[in-house]
Amino acid sequence: MNTKTAAALPVDLGGGPFTITTRDLTKRFGSTTALNALDLRVPEGAAYVLVGPNGAGKTTLLRTLIGMARRDHGAVEVLGIDPERRGADARGLVGYVPEGHRIGYPWMTVGRLLKHCEALYPSWDTDYAARLVDAYEVDLSRKCRSLSKGQSRRVQMLVALAHRPPLLLLDEPTDGLDHVIRDVTLSILSEHFADSPTTALISTHRVYEIERLVDHVGVLRQGRLLGQMPTDELRGKLRRYWADVPDGFEMSTELAGRVIRRTEGMRDIEWTVWGEEKLVVNGFGRAGATVREVAPLSLDEAATALLANKETS
Amino acid sequence: MTDITMDRTPSMKAAAVEQLRVVGLAVRREALAICAGLALLLLLVPFVEEIVVEVGPILNPTDLGVIAAFLGLASPLAVWKGETLFGESRLWTLPVDHARHARMKVAAGWVWLMGVVSVGVLSLVLFVVLVGGDAGSEGTRWMVTDLDAVRSGAGGGVRQMVWTTPLWHWAHPFVVATWGYVAVSALLLGFKRPYHWAVGGWLAFLAFGLLGEEGNIARVTSTLDVFMGAIDWLVFAGSDYSQVTVTLESGQRVRAWTRIPTLGSVVVAQGLWMGLACVSLWAASARSRES
């Protein structure tokens, strides 16, 4: 299935400005390295999706960005602030939806929880919070402990958005939401991005759900950032190719390093290759193959292909 | 609209007031249960009055020590309920410095604790007075004047003195509750498994008493005695452990004081231990420091 060669993906997003910058960020838990020399760049105003398998370090990264986890090495800047030194300032600028569904005090009603947040976030927008309560159909009289997974997630989203932070850190924001509420959430996020100049870093396994929202993607595996780029670049350069190949066909060396995935079907072979389409087609031609069809990948398919390739570096 | 330039952290006053409110809500049920119990006690006054005809009960501040200690030790559990201090606690996601916020929450809990202890003390004093008793003993105490004579058992070496409970003794339940509260708060903030540490510490203490003399119950008792003595010195500069049993020449056995703690000695003893508890609390909360 997979190629034996490595495909180098871009990690440089140019000169910025960046809302989030990490340099050589390393975080260990005992002998396990959760984040390994990570150089993440989230451009100002971007909606950046971070994809990666379980245990890739996504949640640890988000926790590090708001000072909830301490790094072992490297530097972090969130809106120009080092969250380890000025955690309170950083958290004031961030709307955070954690991976878990706990929303704080189980004994508290949702209405009181919102008042609690209002008291502690000077930028809390009461009118906006009320609109979100309506949109999410949140029952303010319910005790937090009685909320379902999906209801908790709605309240977490509400709390994250209502103080209109310049940066959103969303860890699996659609987890636990049914289809209707997921669509409501995506609409709310779209409107939020339009109304408020916001940068978002979204960690998710369900890329297809937020595909239309995001404009940058980062691929994280085993604590390493395999690549980060605008989604347009990913869609433009990562393509699926079907080709008629002669017996004994061997991929040319110029393309071998760009092949992300090779899948043998019943009747043909499918390649997922990184590179300019014209160059790839010519490369196939020089190796004696004739490209029959080229198709772009959805962001979700691209993420799956990149993560499936153990050789990607 | 988003304004990145504005200060997005609450003032210390706003954060402290909010913690006072939230902790008040957290302990509300327990506090109401205590108040209901005290109200019930006061409702019993007419019935108790009928039973207590001649000699009313005497309530000394030190008598309230055990209840106050229990309140102090248990209340941090109510204050911190629902918080996962070593996980994704809501407290840690808020725009307030972690260590400072934790200390604010402890302080808020202490304010409510002192409120509950005040209501408790006042209710019990009221109860005792209403049933014809005496809050704070007045009368005589035996004082040891010659310890050698007392130890010889021949009688003598003591004299009677007039005694009135000093007003400052009423600080006792508040101090005991505070010490217990601060110590348990430090335990909860400082350790991921506070109950393991508490039980482990207690078992270690008992094991220490057994060292060298395996199975010697007397040794354990003696160690416990030292421990209780230390607690006594902690909370009241040795009020109980400054007493000995004396046989008078008449053959009557009474409890006599070798020394009576003064306000100064109590302040020093309690200040020392309270300082230790506060330092522990500070160190435990500093675990979450951010700068």
Side-chain angles (χ1 to χ4, degrees):
Chain A
M1 283 281 285
N2 296 328
T3 59
K4 299 291 180 195
T5 50
L9 299 171
V11 288
D12 185 9
L13 288 176
F18 298 109
T19 297
I20 299 173
T21 307
T22 72
R23 289 186 199 87
D24 206 19
L25 173 63
T26 303
K27 169 72 184 170
R28 295 186 193 90
F29 295 104
S31 59
T32 306
T33 303
L35 300 175
N36 194 349
L38 206 68
D39 288 323
L40 183 83
R41 304 278 187 276
V42 178
E44 195 178 298
Y48 185 120
V49 61
L50 193 63
V51 296
N54 292 329
K58 304 187 296 293
T59 296
T60 303
L61 172 63
L62 263 54
R63 286 169 57 85
T64 307
L65 296 176
I66 55 165
M68 287 179 70
R70 289 184 193 190
R71 60 183 180 261
D72 291 305
H73 184 69
V76 176
E77 265 192 19
V78 174
L79 291 152
I81 294 169
D82 179 350
E84 202 163 297
R85 292 181 185 278
R86 292 171 55 202
D89 292 328
R91 287 188 294 278
L93 292 163
V94 170
Y96 174 59
V97 170
E99 182 188 30
H101 290 80
R102 282 180 66 95
I103 53 172
Y105 313 105
W107 48 267
M108 198 180 255
T109 63
V110 175
R112 186 61 188 80
L113 179 71
L114 297 188
K115 278 191 181 147
H116 180 56
C117 295
E118 186 175 357
L120 295 173
Y121 287 100
S123 58
W124 188 265
D125 185 336
T126 310
D127 294 337
Y128 185 39
R131 289 208 302 279
L132 290 171
V133 165
D134 286 341
Y136 273 130
E137 298 171 9
V138 172
D139 182 351
L140 298 177
S141 64
R142 291 275 298 270
K143 287 268 169 64
C144 291
R145 67 166 157 259
S146 71
L147 300 181
S148 69
K149 205 173 161 184
Q151 289 165 331
S152 296
R153 190 54 105 210
R154 293 185 222 178
V155 176
Q156 288 172 326
M157 283 295 295
L158 197 164
V159 169
L161 294 170
H163 63 105
R164 293 200 181 273
L167 173 62
L168 288 170
L169 298 179
L170 311 177
D171 201 346
E172 299 290 352
T174 55
D175 186 29
L177 301 181
D178 60 46
H179 294 292
V180 176
I181 296 298
R182 187 196 62 208
D183 285 347
V184 169
T185 298
L186 298 178
S187 297
I188 287 171
L189 281 174
S190 295
E191 285 170 24
H192 187 88
F193 292 154
D195 288 348
S196 311
T198 310
T199 305
L201 176 59
I202 305 168
S203 158
T204 187
H205 287 111
R206 300 174 180 81
V207 181
Y208 58 92
E209 290 182 345
I210 57 159
E211 191 162 350
R212 65 185 166 91
L213 274 185
V214 297
D215 51 28
H216 282 74
V217 60
V219 183
L220 194 66
R221 191 168 64 208
Q222 293 178 335
R224 281 187 175 280
L225 191 65
L226 305 183
Q228 59 185 346
M229 66 210 87
T231 49
D232 287 346
E233 185 181 347
L234 183 67
R235 287 194 189 97
K237 287 190 174 173
L238 190 64
R239 303 222 151 184
R240 199 181 283 145
Y241 299 83
W242 287 269
D244 295 324
V245 296
D247 289 342
F249 171 77
E250 278 196 22
M251 183 61 83
S252 64
T253 49
E254 67 180 302
L255 283 189
R258 295 173 172 274
V259 175
I260 300 296
R261 188 156 68 166
R262 177 179 182 275
T263 310
E264 285 191 40
M266 293 285 285
R267 299 160 64 107
D268 53 12
I269 304 173
E270 173 194 318
W271 283 270
T272 305
V273 185
W274 174 263
E276 295 291 344
E277 184 181 326
K278 195 175 169 186
L279 294 176
V280 175
V281 170
N282 288 342
F284 271 104
R286 277 193 289 277
T290 308
V291 173
R292 271 195 294 110
E293 191 180 340
V294 183
L297 280 78
S298 68
L299 190 58
D300 187 48
E301 289 169 331
T304 305
L306 290 171
L307 290 170
N309 186 354
K310 299 284 189 285
E311 301 297 326
T312 309
S313 61
Chain B
M1 295 299 262
T2 302
D3 179 2
I4 195 170
T5 58
M6 74 178 287
D7 184 4
R8 285 169 174 265
T9 57
S11 67
M12 285 302 109
K13 185 185 167 193
V17 168
E18 180 55 19
Q19 272 308 330
L20 201 59
R21 287 184 186 138
V22 167
V23 172
L25 285 172
V27 302
R28 181 179 51 179
R29 190 178 293 176
E30 291 81 354
L32 285 175
I34 291 168
C35 290
L38 292 168
L40 192 66
L41 189 70
L42 291 175
L43 286 175
L44 292 175
V45 166
F47 305 103
V48 179
E49 268 181 321
E50 286 181 15
I51 302 165
V52 183
V53 181
E54 291 181 2
V55 184
I58 296 171
L59 180 71
N60 277 313
T62 46
D63 299 336
L64 300 172
V66 176
I67 303 170
F70 173 78
L71 276 177
L73 293 168
S75 49
L77 305 179
V79 168
W80 291 98
K81 74 180 169 191
E83 294 276 17
T84 45
L85 288 168
F86 285 79
E88 288 218 345
S89 170
R90 167 139 292 277
L91 198 68
W92 302 151
T93 65
L94 296 168
V96 184
D97 177 82
H98 288 167
R100 197 175 295 168
H101 213 178
R103 286 169 199 148
M104 275 182 199
K105 197 172 177 94
V106 172
W110 179 79
V111 170
W112 286 108
L113 173 65
M114 289 300 100
V116 171
V117 173
S118 301
V119 170
V121 169
L122 287 173
S123 302
L124 290 172
V125 167
L126 191 61
F127 173 80
V128 168
V129 170
L130 287 176
V131 299
D134 183 12
S137 60
E138 290 188 17
T140 56
R141 273 189 178 186
W142 290 96
M143 190 76 202
V144 174
T145 53
D146 183 348
L147 198 56
D148 291 336
V150 168
R151 282 178 181 153
S152 71
V158 290
R159 67 176 173 81
Q160 269 192 310
M161 58 174 282
V162 177
W163 168 260
T164 306
T165 302
L167 204 57
W168 57 266
H169 273 210
W170 289 100
H172 177 73
F174 297 91
V175 172
V176 174
T178 300
W179 188 82
Y181 176 75
V182 173
V184 174
S185 297
L187 202 65
L188 290 179
L189 278 172
F191 295 104
K192 194 171 185 177
R193 294 182 177 83
Y195 305 110
H196 292 192
W197 280 94
V199 173
W202 180 248
L203 290 175
F205 179 77
L206 291 181
F208 176 75
L210 284 168
L211 276 179
E213 292 183 57
E214 196 179 341
N216 190 338
I217 300 301
R219 176 100 179 171
V220 176
T221 311
S222 159
T223 310
L224 281 175
D225 202 40
V226 170
F227 178 72
M228 295 312 290
I231 293 290
D232 182 47
W233 276 98
L234 152 71
V235 296
F236 225 59
S239 300
D240 286 335
Y241 280 72
S242 296
Q243 294 178 61
V244 291
T245 303
V246 178
T247 307
L248 302 178
E249 286 169 351
S250 61
Q252 185 192 354
R253 288 168 69 83
V254 295
R255 294 282 286 172
W257 294 73
T258 54
R259 56 177 282 279
I260 291 180
T262 62
L263 176 60
S265 64
V266 169
V267 167
V268 169
Q270 291 178 351
L272 196 70
W273 286 86
M274 194 65 77
L276 191 67
C278 287
V279 167
S280 303
L281 178 66
W282 195 264
S285 59
R287 182 183 64 77
S288 317
R289 73 187 179 281
E290 294 183 280
S291 53

